[in-house]
Amino acid sequence: MSNQDLERGAAKNPPNTNPNANYSSSSYYIETSEKQWTPWLVPMFVVANIAMFIVVMYVNNCPNSNLGFGDKCVAGFLGRFSFQPIRENPLLGPSSNTLVKLGALKWNKVVHEHQGWRLFSCIWLHAGIIHLLANMLSLVVIGIRLEQQFGFVRIGIIYLVAGVGGSVMSSLFIQNNISVGASGALFGLLGAMLSELLTNWTIYTNKAAALFTLIVIIVINLAVGILPHVDNFAHIGGFLTGFLLGFVLLVRPQFKWTERHHLPPGAQRVPKYKTYQYILWLAAAIVLVAGFTLGLVMLFRGENGNKHCSWCHYLSCVPTSRWDCAN
């Protein structure tokens, strides 16, 4: 894209968390007989993102919009679906103007033109076909497995709410560029995987190895966000939102409670959840509501998050001798 566009990068593949799969000694599993759901929502999300990209390219119509400019459209044989010149968009996609027209996240439009719907619409747009494929591959790998375990309602809520959470944080700290992409929502799924592991700690085996693997994957993905033109604030906001939602929505009952019907008469009854699970649930719910409320109030009052945190801009771009983060 041009130097005013920010894409939200794709998350790398997480460790397998399917409780009914066969594992080596280095992986982990859950010893329960919980129902396995048939995933359909995540595939629908993938289809919706691809369909939206096709619509964006149709509206973009590079041969018509690029008249009078020296650079030719890429893949011109595609007609109006051809891509903007590489110099303008190296990710093989539409122009910035087209993305803004169709709902890209832009601080000025959200705050001063009261277009709050962009906080949601931007998660369905992608800067180019490379951006789209990377995000959709990550969504399939992460999302389908989670939907199999927890069902479409909980995973759908985490995906959508985390996407908006990423948009809110992005708007608070990035006010001069546009931002598009589903990776705030994808990082929300990664965050939910981490909190699910923590809140259901006692029913996992090989938990330390699983925790280490998941943390390494999350750190690597967040580290990629310090490159220029990658919206790491959307990643961080989505991750934090999903992390808190995981404590609220992905709590599993104790193994002994799920197998209570097989216990002998007179056996000691166990509670469905442990005390620490209730504490984490309540604390996460309070922080989530308070954080969203504070973020939205600051955003629509036109606050700039960088004024309240002088070092936070380094979370999204670290200047080096090879690139400059000033823009």
Short mmCIF file of all heavy atoms in Angstrom, two decimals, residues 45-82:
data_model
loop_
_atom_site.label_atom_id
_atom_site.label_comp_id
_atom_site.label_asym_id
_atom_site.label_seq_id
_atom_site.Cartn_x
_atom_site.Cartn_y
_atom_site.Cartn_z
N PHE A 45 -16.83 -17.30 7.85
CA PHE A 45 -16.02 -16.09 7.96
C PHE A 45 -15.01 -16.00 6.82
O PHE A 45 -14.77 -14.93 6.26
CB PHE A 45 -15.28 -16.06 9.30
CG PHE A 45 -16.13 -15.66 10.48
CD1 PHE A 45 -15.74 -15.96 11.77
CD2 PHE A 45 -17.32 -14.98 10.30
CE1 PHE A 45 -16.50 -15.59 12.87
CE2 PHE A 45 -18.11 -14.60 11.37
CZ PHE A 45 -17.70 -14.90 12.66
N VAL A 46 -14.40 -17.14 6.50
CA VAL A 46 -13.42 -17.18 5.41
C VAL A 46 -14.10 -16.81 4.09
O VAL A 46 -13.59 -15.98 3.31
CB VAL A 46 -12.76 -18.56 5.31
CG1 VAL A 46 -11.88 -18.64 4.07
CG2 VAL A 46 -11.94 -18.86 6.57
N VAL A 47 -15.25 -17.40 3.83
CA VAL A 47 -15.99 -17.12 2.60
C VAL A 47 -16.38 -15.64 2.54
O VAL A 47 -16.26 -14.99 1.50
CB VAL A 47 -17.24 -18.01 2.50
CG1 VAL A 47 -18.13 -17.57 1.35
CG2 VAL A 47 -16.84 -19.48 2.33
N ALA A 48 -16.83 -15.10 3.68
CA ALA A 48 -17.24 -13.69 3.71
C ALA A 48 -16.08 -12.76 3.42
O ALA A 48 -16.23 -11.76 2.69
CB ALA A 48 -17.85 -13.37 5.09
N ASN A 49 -14.90 -13.06 3.97
CA ASN A 49 -13.72 -12.22 3.71
C ASN A 49 -13.30 -12.28 2.25
O ASN A 49 -12.93 -11.25 1.66
CB ASN A 49 -12.57 -12.66 4.61
CG ASN A 49 -12.62 -12.07 5.99
OD1 ASN A 49 -12.22 -10.93 6.21
ND2 ASN A 49 -13.14 -12.83 6.94
N ILE A 50 -13.34 -13.47 1.68
CA ILE A 50 -12.97 -13.61 0.26
C ILE A 50 -13.98 -12.88 -0.62
O ILE A 50 -13.61 -12.16 -1.56
CB ILE A 50 -12.88 -15.09 -0.12
CG1 ILE A 50 -11.72 -15.76 0.62
CG2 ILE A 50 -12.71 -15.25 -1.64
CD1 ILE A 50 -11.65 -17.27 0.42
N ALA A 51 -15.28 -13.04 -0.32
CA ALA A 51 -16.32 -12.37 -1.10
C ALA A 51 -16.17 -10.85 -1.00
O ALA A 51 -16.32 -10.13 -1.99
CB ALA A 51 -17.70 -12.79 -0.60
N MET A 52 -15.82 -10.37 0.20
CA MET A 52 -15.65 -8.92 0.38
C MET A 52 -14.47 -8.41 -0.43
O MET A 52 -14.52 -7.31 -1.00
CB MET A 52 -15.46 -8.61 1.86
CG MET A 52 -15.53 -7.13 2.18
SD MET A 52 -17.16 -6.44 1.81
CE MET A 52 -16.76 -4.71 1.55
N PHE A 53 -13.41 -9.20 -0.49
CA PHE A 53 -12.24 -8.78 -1.27
C PHE A 53 -12.60 -8.69 -2.76
O PHE A 53 -12.15 -7.78 -3.45
CB PHE A 53 -11.09 -9.76 -1.07
CG PHE A 53 -9.82 -9.34 -1.75
CD1 PHE A 53 -9.05 -8.30 -1.23
CD2 PHE A 53 -9.39 -9.96 -2.91
CE1 PHE A 53 -7.88 -7.90 -1.86
CE2 PHE A 53 -8.23 -9.57 -3.55
CZ PHE A 53 -7.47 -8.53 -3.03
N ILE A 54 -13.40 -9.62 -3.24
CA ILE A 54 -13.84 -9.58 -4.64
C ILE A 54 -14.66 -8.31 -4.90
O ILE A 54 -14.50 -7.63 -5.92
CB ILE A 54 -14.65 -10.85 -4.99
CG1 ILE A 54 -13.74 -12.08 -4.94
CG2 ILE A 54 -15.29 -10.72 -6.36
CD1 ILE A 54 -14.48 -13.39 -5.10
N VAL A 55 -15.56 -7.99 -3.97
CA VAL A 55 -16.36 -6.77 -4.11
C VAL A 55 -15.46 -5.53 -4.12
O VAL A 55 -15.66 -4.62 -4.93
CB VAL A 55 -17.38 -6.68 -2.96
CG1 VAL A 55 -18.07 -5.30 -2.95
CG2 VAL A 55 -18.42 -7.78 -3.07
N VAL A 56 -14.47 -5.51 -3.23
CA VAL A 56 -13.55 -4.38 -3.16
C VAL A 56 -12.81 -4.20 -4.49
O VAL A 56 -12.68 -3.07 -5.00
CB VAL A 56 -12.54 -4.56 -2.01
CG1 VAL A 56 -11.43 -3.52 -2.09
CG2 VAL A 56 -13.24 -4.45 -0.66
N MET A 57 -12.33 -5.30 -5.06
CA MET A 57 -11.61 -5.20 -6.32
C MET A 57 -12.52 -4.78 -7.47
O MET A 57 -12.10 -4.08 -8.39
CB MET A 57 -10.93 -6.54 -6.64
CG MET A 57 -9.84 -6.93 -5.65
SD MET A 57 -8.62 -5.62 -5.34
CE MET A 57 -8.01 -5.31 -7.00
N TYR A 58 -13.78 -5.20 -7.41
CA TYR A 58 -14.74 -4.78 -8.44
C TYR A 58 -14.96 -3.27 -8.36
O TYR A 58 -14.97 -2.57 -9.38
CB TYR A 58 -16.06 -5.52 -8.25
CG TYR A 58 -17.12 -5.13 -9.24
CD1 TYR A 58 -17.19 -5.73 -10.51
CD2 TYR A 58 -18.06 -4.15 -8.93
CE1 TYR A 58 -18.16 -5.36 -11.43
CE2 TYR A 58 -19.04 -3.78 -9.85
CZ TYR A 58 -19.07 -4.39 -11.10
OH TYR A 58 -20.04 -4.01 -12.01
N VAL A 59 -15.14 -2.77 -7.14
CA VAL A 59 -15.34 -1.34 -6.96
C VAL A 59 -14.07 -0.57 -7.31
O VAL A 59 -14.13 0.52 -7.89
CB VAL A 59 -15.76 -1.05 -5.51
CG1 VAL A 59 -15.82 0.46 -5.24
CG2 VAL A 59 -17.12 -1.69 -5.21
N ASN A 60 -12.92 -1.13 -7.00
CA ASN A 60 -11.65 -0.44 -7.25
C ASN A 60 -11.45 -0.13 -8.73
O ASN A 60 -11.07 0.97 -9.11
CB ASN A 60 -10.50 -1.30 -6.74
CG ASN A 60 -9.17 -0.59 -6.84
OD1 ASN A 60 -8.91 0.40 -6.17
ND2 ASN A 60 -8.30 -1.12 -7.70
N ASN A 61 -11.68 -1.14 -9.58
CA ASN A 61 -11.63 -0.95 -11.04
C ASN A 61 -10.35 -0.22 -11.47
O ASN A 61 -10.39 0.90 -11.97
CB ASN A 61 -12.87 -0.19 -11.52
CG ASN A 61 -13.03 -0.24 -13.03
OD1 ASN A 61 -12.29 -0.95 -13.72
ND2 ASN A 61 -14.00 0.49 -13.55
N CYS A 62 -9.22 -0.87 -11.27
CA CYS A 62 -7.92 -0.24 -11.52
C CYS A 62 -7.78 0.35 -12.93
O CYS A 62 -7.30 1.48 -13.07
CB CYS A 62 -6.80 -1.25 -11.27
SG CYS A 62 -5.14 -0.62 -11.57
N PRO A 63 -8.18 -0.35 -14.00
CA PRO A 63 -8.00 0.24 -15.35
C PRO A 63 -8.67 1.60 -15.50
O PRO A 63 -8.17 2.47 -16.21
CB PRO A 63 -8.64 -0.80 -16.27
CG PRO A 63 -8.53 -2.09 -15.52
CD PRO A 63 -8.72 -1.72 -14.08
N ASN A 64 -9.78 1.79 -14.82
CA ASN A 64 -10.50 3.04 -14.94
C ASN A 64 -9.93 4.11 -13.99
O ASN A 64 -9.77 5.27 -14.36
CB ASN A 64 -11.99 2.83 -14.63
CG ASN A 64 -12.81 4.09 -14.83
OD1 ASN A 64 -12.87 4.63 -15.93
ND2 ASN A 64 -13.44 4.56 -13.75
N SER A 65 -9.62 3.69 -12.75
CA SER A 65 -9.15 4.66 -11.76
C SER A 65 -7.69 5.05 -11.96
O SER A 65 -7.24 6.07 -11.44
CB SER A 65 -9.32 4.10 -10.34
OG SER A 65 -8.56 2.91 -10.19
N ASN A 66 -6.94 4.25 -12.74
CA ASN A 66 -5.52 4.50 -12.91
C ASN A 66 -5.20 5.21 -14.22
O ASN A 66 -4.04 5.31 -14.60
CB ASN A 66 -4.76 3.17 -12.85
CG ASN A 66 -3.34 3.34 -12.34
OD1 ASN A 66 -3.12 4.02 -11.35
ND2 ASN A 66 -2.38 2.72 -13.02
N LEU A 67 -6.23 5.70 -14.90
CA LEU A 67 -6.02 6.40 -16.16
C LEU A 67 -5.18 7.66 -15.93
O LEU A 67 -5.39 8.40 -14.98
CB LEU A 67 -7.37 6.79 -16.78
CG LEU A 67 -8.21 5.64 -17.35
CD1 LEU A 67 -9.57 6.17 -17.81
CD2 LEU A 67 -7.49 4.97 -18.51
N GLY A 68 -4.21 7.88 -16.81
CA GLY A 68 -3.39 9.08 -16.72
C GLY A 68 -2.14 8.91 -15.90
O GLY A 68 -1.33 9.82 -15.80
N PHE A 69 -1.98 7.73 -15.25
CA PHE A 69 -0.78 7.47 -14.45
C PHE A 69 0.16 6.57 -15.24
O PHE A 69 -0.26 5.72 -16.03
CB PHE A 69 -1.16 6.81 -13.13
CG PHE A 69 -1.98 7.71 -12.23
CD1 PHE A 69 -3.37 7.69 -12.28
CD2 PHE A 69 -1.36 8.59 -11.36
CE1 PHE A 69 -4.12 8.52 -11.47
CE2 PHE A 69 -2.11 9.43 -10.55
CZ PHE A 69 -3.49 9.40 -10.61
N GLY A 70 1.45 6.70 -14.99
CA GLY A 70 2.45 5.97 -15.76
C GLY A 70 2.45 4.47 -15.50
O GLY A 70 2.61 3.68 -16.41
N ASP A 71 2.29 4.07 -14.25
CA ASP A 71 2.36 2.65 -13.91
C ASP A 71 1.09 1.93 -14.34
O ASP A 71 -0.03 2.42 -14.17
CB ASP A 71 2.55 2.48 -12.39
CG ASP A 71 3.89 3.04 -11.94
OD1 ASP A 71 4.80 3.12 -12.78
OD2 ASP A 71 4.01 3.39 -10.75
N LYS A 72 1.29 0.71 -14.86
CA LYS A 72 0.15 -0.09 -15.30
C LYS A 72 -0.38 -0.96 -14.17
O LYS A 72 0.32 -1.28 -13.21
CB LYS A 72 0.57 -0.98 -16.47
CG LYS A 72 0.92 -0.22 -17.73
CD LYS A 72 1.26 -1.18 -18.85
CE LYS A 72 1.59 -0.43 -20.14
NZ LYS A 72 1.93 -1.35 -21.25
N CYS A 73 -1.66 -1.33 -14.28
CA CYS A 73 -2.26 -2.23 -13.31
C CYS A 73 -1.60 -3.60 -13.39
O CYS A 73 -1.16 -4.03 -14.46
CB CYS A 73 -3.76 -2.38 -13.56
SG CYS A 73 -4.68 -0.84 -13.46
N VAL A 74 -1.51 -4.29 -12.28
CA VAL A 74 -0.94 -5.64 -12.23
C VAL A 74 -2.01 -6.65 -12.60
O VAL A 74 -3.16 -6.54 -12.17
CB VAL A 74 -0.38 -5.93 -10.82
CG1 VAL A 74 0.18 -7.35 -10.75
CG2 VAL A 74 0.68 -4.92 -10.45
N ALA A 75 -1.63 -7.66 -13.39
CA ALA A 75 -2.57 -8.69 -13.86
C ALA A 75 -3.71 -8.04 -14.63
O ALA A 75 -4.89 -8.25 -14.35
CB ALA A 75 -3.10 -9.52 -12.69
N GLY A 76 -3.35 -7.24 -15.63
CA GLY A 76 -4.33 -6.50 -16.41
C GLY A 76 -5.36 -7.37 -17.09
O GLY A 76 -6.45 -6.90 -17.40
N PHE A 77 -5.03 -8.65 -17.33
CA PHE A 77 -5.98 -9.56 -17.98
C PHE A 77 -7.23 -9.79 -17.12
O PHE A 77 -8.25 -10.29 -17.61
CB PHE A 77 -5.31 -10.90 -18.29
CG PHE A 77 -4.83 -11.65 -17.08
CD1 PHE A 77 -5.66 -12.55 -16.41
CD2 PHE A 77 -3.55 -11.46 -16.60
CE1 PHE A 77 -5.22 -13.22 -15.30
CE2 PHE A 77 -3.09 -12.13 -15.48
CZ PHE A 77 -3.93 -13.03 -14.83
N LEU A 78 -7.17 -9.41 -15.84
CA LEU A 78 -8.33 -9.56 -14.96
C LEU A 78 -9.34 -8.42 -15.14
O LEU A 78 -10.40 -8.43 -14.50
CB LEU A 78 -7.88 -9.61 -13.50
CG LEU A 78 -7.04 -10.82 -13.08
CD1 LEU A 78 -6.56 -10.66 -11.64
CD2 LEU A 78 -7.84 -12.11 -13.24
N GLY A 79 -9.03 -7.49 -15.99
CA GLY A 79 -9.95 -6.39 -16.24
C GLY A 79 -10.10 -5.50 -15.04
O GLY A 79 -9.12 -5.10 -14.42
N ARG A 80 -11.35 -5.21 -14.65
CA ARG A 80 -11.58 -4.32 -13.52
C ARG A 80 -11.17 -4.94 -12.19
O ARG A 80 -11.12 -4.26 -11.17
CB ARG A 80 -13.03 -3.87 -13.48
CG ARG A 80 -14.05 -4.94 -13.14
CD ARG A 80 -15.45 -4.38 -13.18
NE ARG A 80 -15.62 -3.30 -12.22
CZ ARG A 80 -16.41 -2.24 -12.41
NH1 ARG A 80 -17.07 -2.10 -13.55
NH2 ARG A 80 -16.53 -1.31 -11.48
N PHE A 81 -10.87 -6.24 -12.18
CA PHE A 81 -10.41 -6.91 -10.96
C PHE A 81 -8.88 -6.88 -10.84
O PHE A 81 -8.33 -7.46 -9.90
CB PHE A 81 -10.90 -8.35 -10.93
CG PHE A 81 -12.38 -8.49 -10.79
CD1 PHE A 81 -13.18 -8.68 -11.91
CD2 PHE A 81 -12.99 -8.40 -9.54
CE1 PHE A 81 -14.56 -8.80 -11.79
CE2 PHE A 81 -14.37 -8.51 -9.41
CZ PHE A 81 -15.16 -8.71 -10.54
N SER A 82 -8.20 -6.25 -11.78
CA SER A 82 -6.74 -6.19 -11.71
C SER A 82 -6.29 -5.33 -10.53
O SER A 82 -7.06 -4.54 -9.97
CB SER A 82 -6.17 -5.62 -13.02
OG SER A 82 -6.72 -4.35 -13.30
#
